[in-house]
Every structure is written in C-alpha cells, then in structure tokens.
Amino acid sequence: MNKDKMHEYLDRCSKCGGCQAACPLYSETQMEPLVARGKLCLMQNYLKGDLELSPKMLELMSFCLLCKSCTEQCPNSIPVDKLVLSMRQEIAEQKGISFVKKNAFQHLLQNNGRLTMAAKLAYLYQHSGLQWLVRKTNILGLLGGDLSSKEKMLPSMAKTPFRTQVPERLTTSNSRLRVGYFTGCLTNYIFEETGHAVLQVLKNHHVEVVIPEQWCCGVPALASGDEQTAVQLAQRNIEAFQKAGVDVIITDCASCGSMLLEYDDLVGSKAAKAFADKSMDFSQLLADVIDFNPGDKEVRMSVTFHDPCHLKRGQGVSDAPRKLIRSLPGVAFREMKDSDRCCGAAGSFNITHYDLAKKVGHTKARNIIDSGAQAVITECPSCIMQMRHMLEREGAPIQVLHLAELISKTY
Ligand code: SF4
Ligand code: SF4
C-alpha cells in the first residue's frame, strides 16, 4: 500500500474505540498501543514526521496477530492488518530485516532443497536422542527465557516431506475435475497425515489431483515486511500451477489459502488473477463445488470447530466446514464460545511473542474445554500446533484434528 493510501485509511479512524472489544491482544493486556486505534495513531504520527522508527516503535508494530477482528468490527472498515503489513514493509526498507530472517526468506524459502535439509536436521534432532537429552537435562530452561517452552511446541517432523511420498499426479477413473493441491510447508514437512487425509477424501470423490513442485506461499516473508521475497514466491507458484493445467487450486491451510487469494493484488498480472480466481479452501471444494459424500463408518465423537482467522475473515469461509462436519455419520457438533477468536498462533507470533500468545491461547483452550467436545477440528496447521500446545498445558485430553482427518475417518 502506498503512503497516500495509508494516509487515506488512517484519516478514516474516528477514535471510537470499537476495536477494543474485538482485539485479542487488547483483551489480554489492556494496552492501547496494541489495539488498532493505538497502532493507527502511532502510524499516523510516524507518517507526519512526529515519530521516529525507534526500537520501541518497531516492537509495537510487531504486536499484531493480523487476525482482522478489528476490521470486522470497525464502523469505517479500516484494513488494519494491511496497514500493519505496510508499516512493517516501511520498517524493513528503512531499517532492514534481521540477518536470520533475511537468510531464512531468501535462502531457505526460495530453495526447496535447503528447506528439506533444514527439516531433516530437525527430524534428526528429534530422533537421534538429542531432543530427549535436551528435555531431560532442561538445558534450555537453564539458559533462561522461555526457550524450553518454545522447544516443546515443535511437533514431530515428517521423516520425508509429504510431497516426496506421493506421486505428482493422482489420476482416477471417470475423473470429473482436475484439482491442484497447494500443500503448504507445514503439511509438507510436519503434518503429513493431513496431506494423506486430503488425498483420501479427494480420491473418494473421483477427482484428479496434481501436486506440482511448489514453494512457500510467502506469508512469513510478507508478515515481516519482505514483500519482494513474497512476490518472487508468488510468481513461482503461479507459474507452477499454470503449467499443471488445473481447474481449481485448493489448500488445507487457512493462512496459505488467504495468501493465495492475495496473489492478484500482490503480483498484479493476468496469470496472478487467474490463479487467485481458481483458489479455494479444501472445505469449499467439498461443500460448494462437488457433491460431498462422506463414508459410512460412524465416527462416534463430539467435536467443535475453531475458525482460523484467515479462513473466516481472510476467505469468508465458515459455513462450509460446519456443513461438512454435521453431515458425518456419528459425529455430534457442539459450537464453542467465540469460535472465531484467534488462538494466538498467527504464523510465528506464538514463537516470537510466546508469553502473550500463551495468554490468547489460554482463552481459546478454555472455550474448547467448556464446549465439552472430545475433539476440536480446524483447517490451519499453525492453529493445530498452537491448540495442541495450549490444551496440553491445560492437561485437557482433547484431540486437535484437521477437518480432512475427521472426514477420512468415515471411509
Ligand atoms: S473501530 Fe475503527 S474507527 Fe473505531 S477506533 Fe478502531 S480502528 Fe478507529
Ligand atoms: S489485527 Fe487482530 S491483533 Fe491486530 S490490532 Fe486488529 S484485532 Fe488486534
């Protein structure tokens, strides 16, 4: 967003404070600079030249879940998350990006070979006995801070990436649709079971699936102000799926899905628009495009659903997953309180701001527990990681599953 557009949106804020009740960070901290009104005021003063990009300012701009809850409540429809992203881009241009992030975005996200190598090292750490030793000796705890808690969030890595376990093209007899599957990094390197469940469900619906070589959707880079890397990744993905010649593109990750829809604005080409127009969430494909047929096996489980921010507010999808869940044999659906309230994951927010994310996640965990459900279903691997961690902290034996995994249980 250019500075004129930023000014235009910032001038729209009437300082009504309607965003306070919606902001999960404000609810937990009662701190004005963390709510949309406070952030917009800081940005306005910076753009007027009354404030500098001080370390405090940089820190405050990092305090946002980009959850869009404030925008949903704002009477003036101010796109706060987009303004925060523009401000982070300004910070990246003026102050640069940290050495670690710069290298991760430019040398890992853009290179699947290196990313796979990094995932393998994490797998080796978990399976060589080193992780056991680290936990047993509590060495990270002795170093101080919350490193030890953060380490416990690392889920089991897949032994080999999901995309290397399956063929690039899965054909089926009397195929009625060719679906491109954008797997996202977390499904590829960690949640392989979600990827296999998605394929099982699609196979049962007689659609052809193509999984071309693909790259990170670009969200981590964009959220840190590195728009250039995000654009480069988007261009690679657009080209890969264009070559695959698919009718629709689906993803099982709400954050990736929301980003894929943004490719049109981000890249601004005809091919990017065609890509975004074809993109949709896994649940939308089943509920709205093809006739959904669950299997006959009764699941006998009570479940609730957590709306990822980037599914409900990012893509406007909330009915489709509920419709699918309610149609599953044996499944009892229980709506939880504030099902669309952010769980605190927000990409890497739960790692960079662990304590605050823990408070936001605690509220989510309580709502899940109070629903009385045996499992919480969602459609975002990042939310799955956060909710598993938070429910474990609460000592609640509640399963956290991707929607595709729940559906696959009926076959
Ligand atoms: S709700 Fe919108 S207009 Fe009101 S203070 Fe918040 S951002 Fe400004
Ligand atoms: S996007 Fe979410 S975390 Fe950020 S200011 Fe708005 S409500 Fe608060």
Side-chain angles (χ1 to χ4, degrees):
M1 190 186 299
N2 63 34
K3 294 224 171 98
D4 287 345
K5 197 74 193 162
M6 283 181 82
H7 273 297
E8 191 189 317
Y9 282 131
L10 292 169
D11 289 345
R12 273 201 218 166
C13 180
S14 57
K15 316 272 187 289
C16 68
C19 43
Q20 282 186 340
C23 180
L25 298 186
Y26 185 79
S27 299
E28 302 298 342
T29 63
Q30 310 293 306
M31 283 171 66
E32 181 67 16
L34 268 56
V35 76
R37 181 173 64 180
K39 284 191 185 81
L40 301 187
C41 190
L42 288 168
M43 287 182 212
Q44 208 160 27
N45 279 296
Y46 167 71
L47 291 182
K48 275 196 228 153
D50 294 342
L51 271 181
E52 285 182 2
L53 293 180
S54 63
K56 189 70 196 166
M57 179 76 154
L58 268 52
E59 189 195 6
L60 290 172
M61 286 303 143
S62 75
F63 279 104
C64 184
L65 299 160
L66 305 173
C67 70
K68 300 174 189 273
S69 303
C70 46
T71 300
E72 192 177 46
Q73 297 303 321
C74 177
N76 300 321
S77 306
I78 300 173
V80 178
D81 59 319
K82 295 227 160 66
L83 285 161
V84 171
L85 287 175
S86 299
M87 194 61 197
R88 287 182 186 172
Q89 200 190 334
E90 170 74 7
I91 291 169
E93 279 166 19
Q94 300 299 327
K95 299 277 174 184
I97 299 175
S98 76
F99 177 79
V100 176
K101 279 188 176 177
K102 202 169 169 178
N103 275 286
F105 298 154
Q106 291 174 5
H107 302 301
L108 274 184
L109 296 189
Q110 304 237 37
N111 186 319
N112 283 340
R114 286 188 198 143
L115 196 55
T116 299
M117 186 54 74
K120 268 192 184 142
L121 289 175
Y123 177 85
L124 280 176
Y125 163 73
Q126 289 176 331
H127 293 84
S128 63
L130 189 57
Q131 183 179 53
W132 177 84
L133 196 66
V134 165
R135 290 185 177 179
K136 184 87 179 159
T137 56
N138 191 29
I139 194 161
L140 296 177
L142 297 175
L143 292 175
D146 43 28
L147 266 178
S148 174
S149 303
K150 285 178 181 173
E151 193 276 337
K152 288 194 181 104
M153 287 188 73
L154 184 67
S156 270
M157 304 295 295
K159 190 173 181 185
T160 55
F162 166 70
R163 288 200 299 269
T164 62
Q165 299 174 30
V166 293
E168 193 172 317
R169 193 173 288 264
L170 289 96
T171 49
T172 171
S173 54
N174 57 4
S175 154
R176 47 183 173 162
L177 199 69
R178 184 178 291 166
V179 176
Y181 179 16
F182 187 88
T183 65
C185 300
L186 292 182
T187 292
N188 192 35
Y189 292 113
I190 297 173
F191 297 104
E192 54 189 317
E193 63 279 11
T194 299
H196 288 294
V198 166
L199 292 186
Q200 191 189 11
V201 175
L202 295 180
K203 190 177 158 205
N204 276 284
H205 287 82
H206 304 287
V207 292
E208 183 180 339
V209 184
V210 187
I211 313 172
E213 167 87 347
Q214 52 194 273
W215 288 264
C216 165
C217 66
V219 159
L222 193 67
S224 297
D226 185 357
E227 191 178 286
Q228 194 191 356
T229 299
V231 170
Q232 287 166 352
L233 289 165
Q235 280 167 332
R236 286 179 162 205
N237 286 322
I238 291 164
E239 201 181 317
F241 281 85
Q242 199 176 27
K243 274 193 195 146
V246 295
D247 302 312
V248 293
I249 299 163
I250 60 145
T251 178
D252 58 56
C253 170
S255 300
C256 297
S258 178
M259 182 68 175
L260 302 187
L261 297 181
E262 300 273 341
Y263 277 8
D264 184 16
D265 280 350
L266 193 67
V267 179
S269 67
K270 227 169 145 182
K273 183 175 182 329
F275 181 99
D277 287 348
K278 280 184 189 177
S279 299
M280 65 179 71
D281 178 65
F282 165 75
S283 64
Q284 271 181 299
L285 173 77
L286 296 181
D288 304 336
V289 179
I290 53 180
D291 296 330
F292 177 60
N293 279 312
D296 301 331
K297 226 198 255 170
E298 286 211 352
V299 179
R300 291 174 193 254
M301 190 188 262
S302 59
V303 308
T304 188
F305 186 74
H306 161 67
D307 294 276
C309 304
H310 289 99
L311 187 65
K312 188 176 179 200
R313 288 178 288 276
Q315 302 179 58
V317 177
S318 62
D319 290 344
R322 286 174 172 75
K323 192 171 144 190
L324 299 173
I325 291 171
R326 287 181 197 279
S327 71
L328 301 177
V331 172
F333 182 66
R334 296 181 183 181
E335 197 69 76
M336 75 166 101
K337 185 181 168 208
D338 296 335
S339 62
D340 63 350
R341 195 165 182 84
C342 181
C343 64
S348 58
F349 188 90
N350 54 353
I351 297 166
T352 54
H353 300 80
Y354 181 77
D355 282 336
L356 188 48
K358 197 168 70 183
K359 287 182 185 162
V360 177
H362 172 76
T363 305
K364 173 58 68 177
R366 287 314 317 169
N367 288 341
I368 295 168
I369 295 166
D370 291 348
S371 76
Q374 293 165 301
V376 55
I377 310 302
T378 193
E379 285 198 84
C380 181
S382 180
C383 300
I384 290 177
M385 268 169 66
Q386 169 78 345
M387 291 192 292
R388 280 188 184 160
H389 182 62
M390 295 315 302
L391 287 167
E392 199 181 306
R393 285 185 63 92
E394 296 289 321
I398 296 175
Q399 290 186 63
V400 185
L401 299 171
H402 191 280
L403 176 65
E405 287 179 88
L406 180 70
I407 295 173
S408 72
K409 286 179 188 289
T410 68
Y411 296 115

